[in-house]
Amino acid sequence: MTATDPLRDAAKPSPLVVSGPMGAELVDRGVRWRGHGMLTDEDAVRALYVEYLQAGCDVLRTNTFQLNARIYLDVFRDPAHMAHIGAPGLATRHVDLTRKAVQLAREARQQTGRAGVPIAGVIGPLEHCFRPDLSPDHDTARAEHNELAETLVEAGADLLLLSSMNTIHETKAAIEAARLTGLPFWVSFIVGPEGELLSREPLADAVYLARHLGAEAVLVENTPADTAEAALKRIEEGGPAGLIPHLGVYDPPSWKFEFFPRFAETAAWTPARFADLGHGAVHHGARIVGVGFGGGPAHVQALVAVREAAA
């Protein structure tokens, strides 16, 4: 049995439930996030993949969010300085870890007997996902996204998820890279408090670009639940849409590779409450649902249970 394009497979259930966060959940379990847990804790990464598969997810996201060359280079003056005082292999560590992430996902599928679950190779913004002002220009971004997309495909991803895009120009660069691979791809956007792209560019323009250039689905991600729900109503025309909201609030230092991401006020978002939100989103047209940072396997299991109860 091989994985298929989930949106084109009539045998796949609706809505599709995607797996939950990797990095934040691993940190909650005591895994150091630097190296995405894959330098010294690959068993923990594989085990979390297994839990999401056992929870019933229909698409398994890789542990590669914002895994790129910049997360290592950004702490040095330039590549020469990194080579001079940096640890061996930093220049290619992102490639090695990306391959490892897909390998572990494939092993988890084998372990659970769910070989038909497609692996979504996750590609995030090249810089901090909440800092669109740091995004590199289109041509620079295009070259770097090409490498990321090619690595994921070579490692065995079944589709690409351009995750939490925050500017139109980088979205275009990432899509162009994804198109070259020939794999189906989805695009998700971070929406700001104004209801537009986090860069304050019109969400409608970003959605049009994604669909016009061939995205199989468009989602809202890394956005509070109420904002994500409101945005869903604006992106569902023209093709499959979905949402992967985060839960709780960020408590800095957060989402830095030197620190443990911290989340506060997540206790109120029980799996049952989140499942109700997912059910409501489906009622409003979501074809894809999932949980972002602050959630975990129990939230995925609850989404699957609600879907099955409604079937």
Side-chain angles (χ1 to χ4, degrees):
M1 185 177 183
T2 58
T4 59
D5 180 346
L7 286 171
R8 295 177 180 269
D9 185 354
K12 293 290 184 183
S14 183
L16 293 170
V17 177
V18 300
S19 62
M22 292 295 296
E25 180 68 11
L26 288 166
V27 167
D28 283 345
R29 299 176 181 207
V31 174
R32 185 69 171 172
W33 196 43
R34 181 177 292 164
H36 283 60
M38 291 178 294
L39 286 176
T40 58
D41 295 278
E42 64 178 53
D43 288 345
V45 175
R46 185 190 302 104
L48 183 52
Y49 282 144
V50 166
E51 287 187 44
Y52 282 128
L53 288 165
Q54 291 175 334
C57 73
D58 305 299
V59 177
L60 184 64
R61 294 187 286 168
T62 58
N63 185 35
T64 53
F65 182 67
Q66 294 197 263
L67 175 54
N68 58 64
R70 288 171 180 257
I71 65 173
Y72 301 105
L73 181 58
D74 279 352
V75 299
F76 299 97
R77 185 179 69 186
D78 53 33
H81 183 228
M82 183 172 73
H84 179 59
I85 68 168
L90 285 182
T92 59
R93 183 172 291 178
H94 63 294
V95 173
D96 298 336
L97 294 181
T98 296
R99 290 172 177 158
K100 175 63 71 173
V102 179
Q103 175 191 328
L104 294 174
R106 292 171 66 88
E107 291 173 3
R109 286 196 312 192
Q110 184 69 23
Q111 182 177 330
T112 57
R114 300 199 64 204
V117 175
I119 294 172
V122 173
I123 300 176
L126 296 171
E127 292 287 358
H128 194 299
C129 62
F130 294 151
R131 290 289 305 274
D133 56 301
L134 299 178
S135 178
D137 65 79
H138 170 274
D139 291 346
T140 300
R142 171 66 186 275
E144 296 180 42
H145 280 295
N146 278 347
E147 179 188 44
L148 297 172
E150 290 171 3
T151 301
L152 284 164
V153 173
E154 291 168 359
D158 301 298
L159 64 95
L160 298 177
L161 171 56
L162 311 183
S163 174
S164 304
M165 292 290 112
N166 55 23
T167 67
I168 288 179
H169 72 268
E170 187 171 350
T171 299
K172 186 172 185 290
I175 288 177
E176 289 169 348
R179 283 166 58 98
L180 285 178
T181 69
L183 287 185
F185 64 92
W186 300 353
V187 181
S188 72
F189 294 106
I190 296 182
V191 175
E194 308 86 359
E196 305 298 348
L197 213 60
L198 197 60
S199 60
R200 293 188 172 86
E201 297 169 290
L203 177 61
D205 291 353
V207 172
Y208 175 81
L209 173 77
R211 294 205 188 280
H212 181 70
L213 293 182
E216 297 276 338
V218 174
L219 303 92
V220 179
E221 187 175 359
N222 250 333
T223 300
D226 54 350
T227 308
E229 281 190 296
L232 174 66
K233 299 174 184 178
R234 301 173 56 201
I235 68 172
E236 60 186 1
E237 291 187 10
L243 76 173
I244 309 175
H246 71 66
L247 309 182
V249 295
Y250 287 86
D251 188 8
S254 178
W255 214 240
K256 298 284 188 180
F257 286 82
E258 298 86 353
F259 297 101
F260 291 80
R262 300 173 183 175
F263 303 88
E265 301 175 18
T266 58
W269 280 104
T270 64
R273 180 188 175 197
F274 183 75
D276 286 342
L277 181 149
H279 181 70
V282 171
H283 178 73
H284 289 293
R287 288 278 307 281
I288 302 162
V289 292
V291 63
F293 310 123
H299 294 80
V300 171
Q301 186 175 31
L303 286 174
V304 173
V306 167
R307 179 186 67 195
E308 292 178 349

